[in-house]
Protein backbone atom coordinates (compact mmCIF):
# COMPACT_ATOMS: atom_id res chain seq x y z
CA UNK A 1 0.00 0.00 0.00
CA UNK A 2 2.83 2.40 0.83
CA UNK A 3 4.29 1.75 -2.63
CA UNK A 4 1.01 2.89 -4.25
CA UNK A 5 1.13 6.20 -2.36
CA UNK A 6 4.81 6.66 -3.21
CA UNK A 7 4.15 6.08 -6.94
CA UNK A 8 1.11 8.38 -6.85
CA UNK A 9 3.19 11.09 -5.17
CA UNK A 10 5.95 10.68 -7.74
CA UNK A 11 3.44 11.00 -10.57
CA UNK A 12 2.15 14.24 -9.04
CA UNK A 13 5.68 15.61 -9.11
CA UNK A 14 6.24 14.58 -12.72
CA UNK A 15 6.27 17.28 -15.34
CA UNK A 16 8.46 20.31 -15.94
CA UNK A 17 8.86 23.22 -13.57
CA UNK A 18 10.18 26.68 -14.44
CA UNK A 19 11.27 29.25 -11.85
CA UNK A 20 10.92 32.71 -13.36
CA UNK A 21 12.25 36.13 -12.31
CA UNK A 22 10.37 39.05 -13.85
CA UNK A 23 10.76 42.83 -13.96
CA UNK A 24 8.16 45.44 -14.91
CA UNK A 25 8.87 47.24 -18.20
CA UNK A 26 5.74 49.41 -18.52
CA UNK A 27 2.60 50.45 -16.69
CA UNK A 28 2.06 51.28 -13.05
CA UNK A 29 0.22 48.17 -11.81
CA UNK A 30 1.88 45.35 -9.96
CA UNK A 31 3.89 42.72 -11.88
CA UNK A 32 5.01 39.64 -9.88
CA UNK A 33 8.77 39.48 -9.45
CA UNK A 34 9.00 35.70 -9.03
CA UNK A 35 6.68 32.94 -10.18
CA UNK A 36 6.92 29.19 -10.61
CA UNK A 37 5.23 27.36 -13.49
CA UNK A 38 4.63 23.64 -13.08
CA UNK A 39 3.49 22.02 -16.33
CA UNK A 40 1.90 18.61 -16.69
CA UNK A 41 3.92 16.05 -18.67
CA UNK A 42 2.05 16.92 -21.87
CA UNK A 43 2.32 20.73 -21.36
CA UNK A 44 -1.48 21.05 -21.69
CA UNK A 45 -2.06 22.27 -18.15
CA UNK A 46 0.00 24.25 -15.67
CA UNK A 47 -0.08 25.55 -12.15
CA UNK A 48 1.30 29.03 -11.47
CA UNK A 49 2.62 29.93 -8.03
CA UNK A 50 3.16 33.57 -7.16
CA UNK A 51 6.10 33.34 -4.78
CA UNK A 52 5.37 36.74 -3.18
CA UNK A 53 2.01 35.59 -1.87
CA UNK A 54 2.55 31.81 -1.95
CA UNK A 55 -0.64 31.43 -3.97
CA UNK A 56 -0.91 28.57 -6.48
CA UNK A 57 -3.59 28.71 -9.19
CA UNK A 58 -4.35 26.76 -12.38
CA UNK A 59 -3.43 28.36 -15.68
CA UNK A 60 -4.91 27.95 -19.12
CA UNK A 61 -2.16 26.82 -21.53
CA UNK A 62 -2.16 27.17 -25.32
CA UNK A 63 0.81 26.00 -27.38
CA UNK A 64 1.80 28.61 -29.99
CA UNK A 65 4.78 26.81 -31.52
CA UNK A 66 7.11 23.93 -30.79
CA UNK A 67 8.79 25.94 -28.00
CA UNK A 68 6.29 28.71 -27.17
CA UNK A 69 3.37 28.51 -24.74
CA UNK A 70 0.76 31.12 -23.85
CA UNK A 71 -0.61 31.03 -20.31
CA UNK A 72 -3.40 32.94 -18.61
CA UNK A 73 -4.40 32.91 -14.95
CA UNK A 74 -6.03 34.93 -12.19
CA UNK A 75 -4.99 35.33 -8.56
CA UNK A 76 -8.22 35.02 -6.64
CA UNK A 77 -8.85 36.86 -3.40
CA UNK A 78 -5.98 39.35 -3.70
CA UNK A 79 -6.30 43.10 -4.02
CA UNK A 80 -2.92 44.17 -5.34
CA UNK A 81 -4.07 46.85 -7.74
CA UNK A 82 -4.30 50.39 -6.43
CA UNK A 83 -7.77 50.79 -7.96
CA UNK A 84 -10.64 49.96 -5.59
CA UNK A 85 -12.90 47.05 -6.46
CA UNK A 86 -10.38 44.97 -8.44
CA UNK A 87 -9.84 41.82 -6.42
CA UNK A 88 -8.74 39.35 -9.09
CA UNK A 89 -5.42 40.22 -10.68
CA UNK A 90 -5.30 38.53 -14.09
CA UNK A 91 -2.21 37.80 -16.14
CA UNK A 92 -1.24 36.65 -19.62
CA UNK A 93 2.23 35.35 -20.34
CA UNK A 94 4.24 33.76 -23.11
CA UNK A 95 7.03 31.35 -22.22
CA UNK A 96 9.65 30.42 -24.80
CA UNK A 97 11.16 27.15 -23.59
CA UNK A 98 14.04 27.32 -26.11
CA UNK A 99 15.59 30.52 -24.76
CA UNK A 100 13.92 30.41 -21.31
CA UNK A 101 12.42 33.91 -21.71
CA UNK A 102 9.01 35.04 -20.54
CA UNK A 103 6.90 38.09 -21.27
CA UNK A 104 3.98 38.94 -18.98
CA UNK A 105 1.06 41.33 -19.15
CA UNK A 106 -1.40 42.23 -16.41
CA UNK A 107 -4.92 42.12 -17.79
CA UNK A 108 -7.75 44.46 -16.80
CA UNK A 109 -11.37 44.34 -17.82
CA UNK A 110 -12.52 47.48 -19.60
CA UNK A 111 -10.73 50.77 -19.95
CA UNK A 112 -8.24 51.89 -22.56
CA UNK A 113 -5.24 52.35 -20.26
CA UNK A 114 -1.91 50.85 -21.27
CA UNK A 115 -1.64 47.42 -19.70
CA UNK A 116 1.34 46.82 -17.37
CA UNK A 117 3.98 44.53 -18.84
CA UNK A 118 6.96 42.63 -17.54
CA UNK A 119 9.63 40.28 -18.83
CA UNK A 120 12.30 38.03 -17.50
CA UNK A 121 14.10 34.74 -17.54
CA UNK A 122 13.20 31.28 -16.30
CA UNK A 123 15.25 28.33 -15.11
CA UNK A 124 14.14 24.75 -15.58
CA UNK A 125 14.00 22.60 -12.48
CA UNK A 126 15.23 19.02 -12.64
CA UNK A 127 12.15 17.06 -13.75
CA UNK A 128 13.13 13.58 -12.60
CA UNK A 129 10.43 11.76 -10.72
CA UNK A 130 10.75 11.34 -6.96
CA UNK A 131 11.57 7.66 -7.44
CA UNK A 132 14.37 8.41 -9.93
CA UNK A 133 15.78 11.18 -7.73
CA UNK A 134 15.95 8.87 -4.70
CA UNK A 135 17.24 5.83 -6.58
CA UNK A 136 20.86 6.75 -5.87
CA UNK A 137 20.12 7.21 -2.15
CA UNK A 138 19.15 3.59 -1.53
CA UNK A 139 21.45 1.68 0.82
CA UNK A 140 23.63 -0.83 -0.99
CA UNK A 141 23.76 -4.47 0.13
CA UNK A 142 26.88 -5.42 2.08
CA UNK A 143 27.80 -8.13 -0.41
CA UNK A 144 27.33 -8.19 -4.17
Amino acid sequence: MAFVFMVAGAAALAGTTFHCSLKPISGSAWIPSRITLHFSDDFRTAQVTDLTFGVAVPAKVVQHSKTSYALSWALTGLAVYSEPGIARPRFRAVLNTANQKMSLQAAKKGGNAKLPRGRGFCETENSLSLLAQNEGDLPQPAEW
Side-chain angles (χ1 to χ4, degrees):
M1 186 68 153
F3 178 75
V4 172
F5 288 116
M6 189 168 51
V7 170
L13 291 175
T16 303
T17 300
F18 293 88
H19 299 285
C20 305
S21 297
L22 304 163
K23 293 183 180 183
I25 56 173
S26 71
S28 60
W30 178 79
I31 295 291
S33 61
R34 294 183 322 137
I35 62 173
T36 296
L37 307 170
H38 181 75
F39 286 90
S40 60
D41 282 335
D42 60 6
F43 273 73
R44 291 186 182 190
T45 62
Q47 183 166 332
V48 177
T49 302
D50 182 310
L51 299 176
T52 302
F53 296 105
V55 175
V57 295
K60 180 181 175 185
V61 178
V62 177
Q63 186 170 3
H64 278 257
S65 71
K66 186 176 179 181
T67 61
S68 179
Y69 296 87
L71 299 100
S72 59
W73 69 93
L75 295 176
T76 57
L78 297 178
V80 296
Y81 285 116
S82 59
E83 299 174 24
I86 298 177
R88 293 190 68 197
R90 299 173 52 83
F91 300 95
R92 295 186 297 229
V94 176
L95 172 66
N96 184 320
T97 58
N99 63 12
Q100 307 265 339
K101 290 183 180 181
M102 173 179 269
S103 62
L104 178 86
Q105 186 174 44
K108 295 182 183 180
K109 287 187 177 180
N112 294 329
K114 186 175 182 180
L115 296 175
R117 295 177 31 224
R119 68 177 170 214
F121 294 93
C122 302
E123 294 181 355
T124 308
E125 183 178 292
N126 188 346
S127 62
L128 291 176
S129 71
L130 183 60
L131 291 175
Q133 290 176 26
N134 292 329
E135 185 175 345
D137 297 335
L138 297 175
Q140 300 297 319
E143 294 180 8
W144 280 99

